[in-house]
Amino acid sequence: MVSTKFKNYLFEEYGIKFKNETLLEEAFTHSSYVNEHPKESVGNYEKLEFLGDAVLELAVSDYLYRHFPSLNEGQLTRLRSNIVRTEGFSGFAIECGFPAEINLGRGEEKTGARERKTLLEDVFEAFNGALFLDQGMDAVQKFLKLTVYPLIDSGEFTDSRDYKTDLQELLQVNGAIKIEYQVLEETKLPSNFKVALFVEGKKISEGSGHNKKAAEQVAAKLALIKYQEK
Amino acid sequence: MVSTKFKNYLFEEYGIKFKNETLLEEAFTHSSYVNEHPKESVGNYEKLEFLGDAVLELAVSDYLYRHFPSLNEGQLTRLRSNIVRTEGFSGFAIECGFPAEINLGRGEEKTGARERKTLLEDVFEAFNGALFLDQGMDAVQKFLKLTVYPLIDSGEFTDSRDYKTDLQELLQVNGAIKIEYQVLEETKLPSNFKVALFVEGKKISEGSGHNKKAAEQVAAKLALIKYQEK
């Protein structure tokens, strides 16, 4: 159960007090907890996450559109994608003291789910979905103004690069070029992916990372360096 | 320039009257027109499209969350993805009489851009972005209630299947299985992709389509049939 201490903290720090506390509880409840406590009537956060994902996408888009008038559509899209990436939101979840409040099943607890970035991102999205349902978009914007937006303004997400897009833009300046990524190896616990990058069928680079996306970014970054050296 | 007739139609049919008509004009202006008319101060629709994309994503998510309480998160996600797909929104653009109002450059006009689905989708997104800026989310919801939502309720998007997700769910029921798609051929004018589908490194099927996504769906559908026959 979400603690009274946390509820007080939400109010004192962010001015947030849920009218419907069931929504707040649901946002912090993982499916593994629901499975282990079938008699409690609380649902898991997945549907709120579905909604919250779209809530954050619009909130951030709206903020970027209004506050960065000099950026073009491509730059805005890239900046938005840097912000709504897993790592970003999980950091805010930690900063806001979310991990301690998550209702988790025992099995998931043992495997360290409480610190897992993807889970923390899910809960951050679900929380914003719940806040949207409870109090509307203005309340979400107010909360993000105290958490996410200051980091956007500080340029935190501006430097973060999307190397796959950079590579595509570099190579396709004179027309379509076939760029492919192929998974070479995939291991679990700890999760590790190794991918190869092919340009017009020729292998250019390899990259490793904790998921496919991260591995592809590494491969694209190495390829970019190679092409820029030419 | 957006015609007076169209502005009247927007008001009579949907109750929409823009306070800031520059936003409406921008939503209907393609970059090719801006390039050919450098002295007109109108911008192209790309930034409104960036915003409108997120506006529609949230509007549709909110609608689905509230009106389909029996669906789980996976089903909601799939339904949303069917709705916000290119073909869907371009159809609404045609239905609302958007094509005739688009400000296009002469070159684009000759290549049939006015009927191009991706361009019509962009304009539909940009229009909703403009409406959101001019009058807020409630006005967007009201417009969608007269256009998009009746088709959702009629089940128009429910039958449309995501075979890649279906295949993943079928194969991964007992744990992670490596499913890969590899582009075999890619031709332009007309655009055609051919992909192969590998499961744990073994080729299972091939598919062709006008883009990579469509080709992958065909390959996944064929693979599904194979596995379900077993």
Side-chain angles (χ1 to χ4, degrees):
Chain A
M1 298 286 291
V2 172
S3 68
T4 306
K5 193 182 154 194
F6 181 70
K7 285 178 196 167
N8 290 338
Y9 160 81
L10 275 184
F11 183 67
E12 282 156 23
E13 196 75 16
Y14 306 110
I16 294 173
K17 187 172 162 42
F18 272 77
K19 290 169 213 150
N20 178 358
E21 292 204 346
T22 309
L23 286 171
L24 178 65
E25 201 63 45
E26 194 174 306
F28 282 91
T29 302
H30 189 256
S31 58
S32 61
Y33 181 89
V34 177
N35 294 338
E36 288 183 13
H37 301 78
K39 283 182 189 165
E40 291 184 27
S41 64
V42 64
N44 72 47
Y45 63 59
E46 291 170 9
K47 282 172 72 165
L48 287 174
E49 178 205 342
F50 160 84
L51 184 64
D53 168 69
V55 167
L56 286 169
E57 182 97 1
L58 177 56
V60 168
S61 302
D62 190 17
Y63 186 79
L64 295 180
Y65 182 90
R66 292 176 202 266
H67 289 79
F68 296 87
S70 66
L71 299 186
N72 66 32
E73 185 264 347
Q75 292 164 324
L76 288 170
T77 302
R78 186 175 301 195
L79 188 50
R80 175 173 67 188
S81 134
N82 289 342
I83 296 161
V84 300
R85 231 177 240 173
T86 305
E87 289 77 11
F89 286 154
S90 62
F92 294 116
I94 294 168
E95 195 189 300
C96 298
F98 285 7
E101 302 300 325
I102 302 169
N103 300 316
L104 261 184
R106 273 166 296 176
E108 287 289 323
E109 187 75 82
K110 275 185 195 155
T111 63
R114 199 175 289 279
E115 274 81 45
R116 202 184 295 147
K117 280 185 178 176
T118 48
L119 191 146
L120 293 175
E121 185 207 14
D122 291 348
V123 172
F124 191 78
E125 291 180 341
F127 176 79
N128 280 282
L131 187 57
F132 172 78
L133 285 177
D134 199 61
Q135 298 170 39
M137 200 56 160
D138 286 349
V140 173
Q141 292 285 18
K142 199 178 143 200
F143 172 64
L144 298 178
K145 214 168 165 175
L146 295 168
T147 53
V148 178
Y149 298 159
L151 258 83
I152 297 177
D153 295 339
S154 76
E156 174 77 16
F157 302 103
T158 315
D159 298 327
S160 177
R161 300 275 296 270
D162 176 2
Y163 296 106
K164 284 180 69 174
T165 309
D166 283 347
L167 181 67
Q168 205 173 329
E169 284 175 1
L170 179 76
L171 296 184
Q172 301 194 336
V173 71
N174 294 317
I177 295 275
K178 192 159 75 177
I179 304 169
E180 287 171 293
Y181 295 84
Q182 198 182 321
V183 177
L184 299 177
E185 283 172 38
E186 181 181 348
T187 57
K188 288 218 151 196
L189 301 170
S191 170
N192 191 54
F193 279 76
K194 189 172 172 185
V195 306
L197 188 167
F198 296 85
V199 174
E200 294 287 329
K202 196 184 155 204
K203 186 155 126 183
I204 303 298
S205 61
E206 291 185 3
S208 298
H210 66 287
N211 61 27
K212 200 167 147 233
K213 210 166 165 184
E216 288 178 353
Q217 285 291 340
V218 173
K221 186 179 175 178
L222 292 173
L224 265 172
I225 294 170
K226 279 195 184 175
Y227 281 105
Q228 280 159 350
E229 276 173 352
K230 276 181 187 171
Chain B
M1 298 286 291
V2 173
S3 68
T4 306
K5 192 181 156 197
F6 181 70
K7 286 178 195 164
N8 290 338
Y9 160 82
L10 275 184
F11 184 68
E12 284 154 22
E13 196 75 15
Y14 306 109
I16 295 172
K17 188 173 162 43
F18 272 76
K19 290 169 213 151
N20 179 358
E21 292 204 346
T22 309
L23 285 171
L24 178 65
E25 201 63 44
E26 195 174 306
F28 283 91
T29 302
H30 189 256
S31 58
S32 61
Y33 181 90
V34 177
N35 294 339
E36 287 183 15
H37 300 80
K39 283 181 189 166
E40 292 184 27
S41 63
V42 64
N44 72 47
Y45 64 58
E46 290 169 10
K47 283 172 73 164
L48 288 174
E49 178 205 342
F50 160 85
L51 185 63
D53 169 66
V55 167
L56 286 169
E57 182 97 1
L58 177 56
V60 168
S61 302
D62 191 18
Y63 186 79
L64 295 181
Y65 182 91
R66 291 176 203 265
H67 289 79
F68 296 86
S70 66
L71 298 187
N72 66 32
E73 185 264 346
Q75 292 164 325
L76 289 170
T77 302
R78 184 176 303 194
L79 187 50
R80 175 172 70 189
S81 135
N82 289 342
I83 297 162
V84 300
R85 232 176 239 172
T86 305
E87 290 77 11
F89 285 155
S90 62
F92 294 115
I94 293 168
E95 196 190 301
C96 299
F98 285 8
E101 303 300 325
I102 301 169
N103 300 317
L104 262 184
R106 272 166 298 175
E108 287 290 322
E109 187 75 82
K110 274 185 195 156
T111 62
R114 197 175 290 277
E115 273 82 44
R116 202 184 297 147
K117 280 184 177 177
T118 48
L119 192 146
L120 293 176
E121 185 206 15
D122 292 348
V123 172
F124 192 78
E125 291 180 341
F127 175 80
N128 280 281
L131 187 57
F132 172 78
L133 285 176
D134 199 59
Q135 298 169 41
M137 200 57 159
D138 287 348
V140 173
Q141 292 285 19
K142 199 178 143 200
F143 172 64
L144 298 178
K145 214 167 165 176
L146 296 169
T147 52
V148 177
Y149 298 159
L151 258 82
I152 297 178
D153 295 340
S154 76
E156 175 77 15
F157 302 103
T158 315
D159 297 329
S160 180
R161 299 276 296 270
D162 175 3
Y163 296 106
K164 284 179 69 175
T165 309
D166 283 348
L167 181 67
Q168 207 172 328
E169 284 175 1
L170 179 75
L171 295 184
Q172 300 193 337
V173 71
N174 293 318
I177 294 275
K178 192 159 74 176
I179 304 169
E180 287 172 293
Y181 295 84
Q182 198 183 321
V183 177
L184 300 176
E185 283 172 38
E186 181 182 349
T187 57
K188 289 218 150 194
L189 302 169
S191 171
N192 191 54
F193 279 76
K194 189 172 171 185
V195 306
L197 189 167
F198 296 84
V199 174
E200 293 287 330
K202 195 185 155 201
K203 186 156 127 183
I204 303 298
S205 60
E206 291 185 2
S208 298
H210 66 287
N211 62 27
K212 199 166 148 238
K213 209 166 164 185
E216 288 177 353
Q217 285 291 341
V218 173
K221 187 179 174 177
L222 292 173
L224 265 172
I225 294 170
K226 278 195 185 175
Y227 280 104
Q228 281 159 348
E229 277 173 353
K230 277 182 187 171

